[in-house]
Amino acid sequence: MKQEDKIITSFLKSLGPWRDFIVIGGGFALFIYKLYLTDRKLEILPVATRDIDSLISRKIPVVSKKNIANYLNEAGFVPLFKDVDTPPSESYVKEIDGVEIEIEFLTDSATRNDKTKNVVIAGVVAQPLSYLTLSLQTTIEFQTYSREVGKVVSPGAWIFHKGLTFTRRQNSLKMVKDLYGIWYVITQLGEFSDQASISFNYLAEKNPKWFQTCQKQLSNWMDHATPSEWSKLETQDPSGKLKKLGFERSIKMLLNRNIGK
């Protein structure tokens, strides 16, 4: 896990004063939970990822004459354009500790107009993503081993967002990675997993319609997944602990409530 710590620390340093307005989500959130927010004796590590999803609100204060893009460029990150949209989707790439890391900026789609249009925020292009509001509002502060401070999506919001969006994945492998992540957060992090379920319960009560969507999608997947799909899900876990029956039991316990009824 030393490599992941170096990557997270380097990324936070690269943001300069803008780090206060960036929330780390996606697969790297699992490493942050494991590294800095749980009992270090826990041995089950999350699946490796090399993409850092950086969540940013649509409106943030100006905290420096240099924008985020300037800081990333000075830190050695190279911008890559990924399509021909206006503005084009972009990512920032850099090799850290021998590993190529890619950063993408994401924002919420909670706007009346142009919900799917990319937006420039503090010099970087952010892609709008549905249901991201909770992830931006519900965060946890963490500190790396070298005392760099950052923010990560709360585990309850992380679970909620994946449950709402995993069906939109065009790549089936990414879909099962999302499902694996939900299982990992609610079962493999000791007391932190218990806190994650409590956090999810609270958000579900506050957002009953979203919860119903999340509940329906997860239940439908389990009811209709083929043996091949279950096999793909199980092989996401390098420890071999993820099994169909255990996954079903964990998800049903998470969803066993009567929100909004």
Side-chain angles (χ1 to χ4, degrees):
M1 298 289 279
K2 290 182 179 179
Q3 187 177 65
E4 279 70 24
D5 175 60
K6 289 181 180 178
I7 292 169
I8 295 165
T9 298
S10 177
F11 170 63
L12 292 174
K13 287 182 177 179
S14 301
L15 293 171
W18 297 100
R19 75 175 68 184
D20 293 338
F21 305 98
I22 300 298
V23 180
I24 298 177
F28 251 96
L30 305 187
F31 281 104
I32 292 170
Y33 300 154
K34 175 66 183 70
L35 276 168
Y36 313 120
L37 300 173
T38 65
D39 185 346
R40 296 182 188 178
K41 295 180 181 179
L42 295 171
E43 297 181 353
I44 305 301
L45 305 180
V47 171
T49 181
R50 295 297 175 249
D51 301 330
I52 302 180
D53 290 344
S54 303
L55 317 185
I56 184 170
S57 297
R58 285 179 173 265
K59 294 183 179 181
I60 58 176
V62 177
V63 295
S64 172
K65 292 182 179 179
K66 295 187 295 184
N67 59 31
I68 298 174
N70 294 149
Y71 276 97
L72 291 175
N73 289 333
E74 290 179 359
F77 282 92
V78 178
L80 297 177
F81 299 108
K82 309 185 76 171
D83 53 40
V84 293
D85 291 347
T86 305
S89 302
E90 66 179 9
S91 63
Y92 287 82
V93 177
K94 178 184 177 181
E95 186 175 297
I96 302 176
D97 199 35
V99 177
E100 186 174 83
I101 300 300
E102 182 174 355
I103 301 168
E104 287 190 345
F105 290 90
L106 306 171
T107 192
D108 65 84
S109 60
T111 179
R112 291 185 178 181
N113 301 313
D114 298 326
K115 289 180 177 291
T116 61
K117 185 177 181 180
N118 292 340
V119 57
V120 178
I121 305 172
V124 294
V125 177
Q127 302 173 55
L129 201 62
S130 299
Y131 302 114
L132 205 65
T133 307
L134 288 180
S135 298
L136 285 164
Q137 295 175 343
T138 316
T139 65
I140 298 176
E141 188 174 280
F142 68 91
Q143 188 177 84
T144 68
Y145 297 153
S146 56
R147 301 191 181 283
E148 296 293 331
V149 176
K151 293 180 180 178
V152 65
V153 176
S154 76
W158 195 96
I159 296 167
F160 213 158
H161 188 261
K162 292 301 182 183
L164 286 164
T165 61
F166 77 96
T167 58
R168 300 186 181 191
R169 293 287 205 179
Q170 296 181 356
N171 185 315
S172 62
L173 183 57
K174 289 185 176 181
M175 179 186 291
V176 293
K177 282 186 180 297
D178 287 348
L179 294 170
Y180 155 81
I182 294 173
W183 169 85
Y184 182 86
V185 174
I186 62 176
T187 65
Q188 300 301 301
L189 295 172
E191 293 182 2
F192 189 82
S193 289
D194 297 333
Q195 296 169 9
S197 296
I198 292 171
S199 172
F200 176 84
N201 294 348
Y202 173 79
L203 293 175
E205 291 172 358
K206 296 296 182 180
N207 302 273
K209 291 184 178 179
W210 283 13
F211 171 74
Q212 289 170 6
T213 299
C214 178
Q215 184 182 50
K216 179 180 179 180
Q217 292 183 165
L218 287 168
S219 297
N220 282 346
W221 190 89
M222 292 189 295
D223 290 342
H224 299 100
T226 65
S228 175
E229 288 171 325
W230 278 111
S231 178
K232 286 182 180 179
L233 175 59
E234 291 176 351
T235 56
Q236 296 307 301
D237 176 28
S239 73
K241 294 184 66 176
L242 196 168
K243 301 297 181 185
K244 177 182 177 181
L245 292 178
F247 180 89
E248 289 179 322
R249 181 169 60 250
S250 299
I251 297 300
K252 287 177 180 178
M253 287 179 63
L254 184 73
L255 300 178
N256 186 22
R257 68 196 79 258
N258 294 307
I259 303 298
K261 294 183 180 181

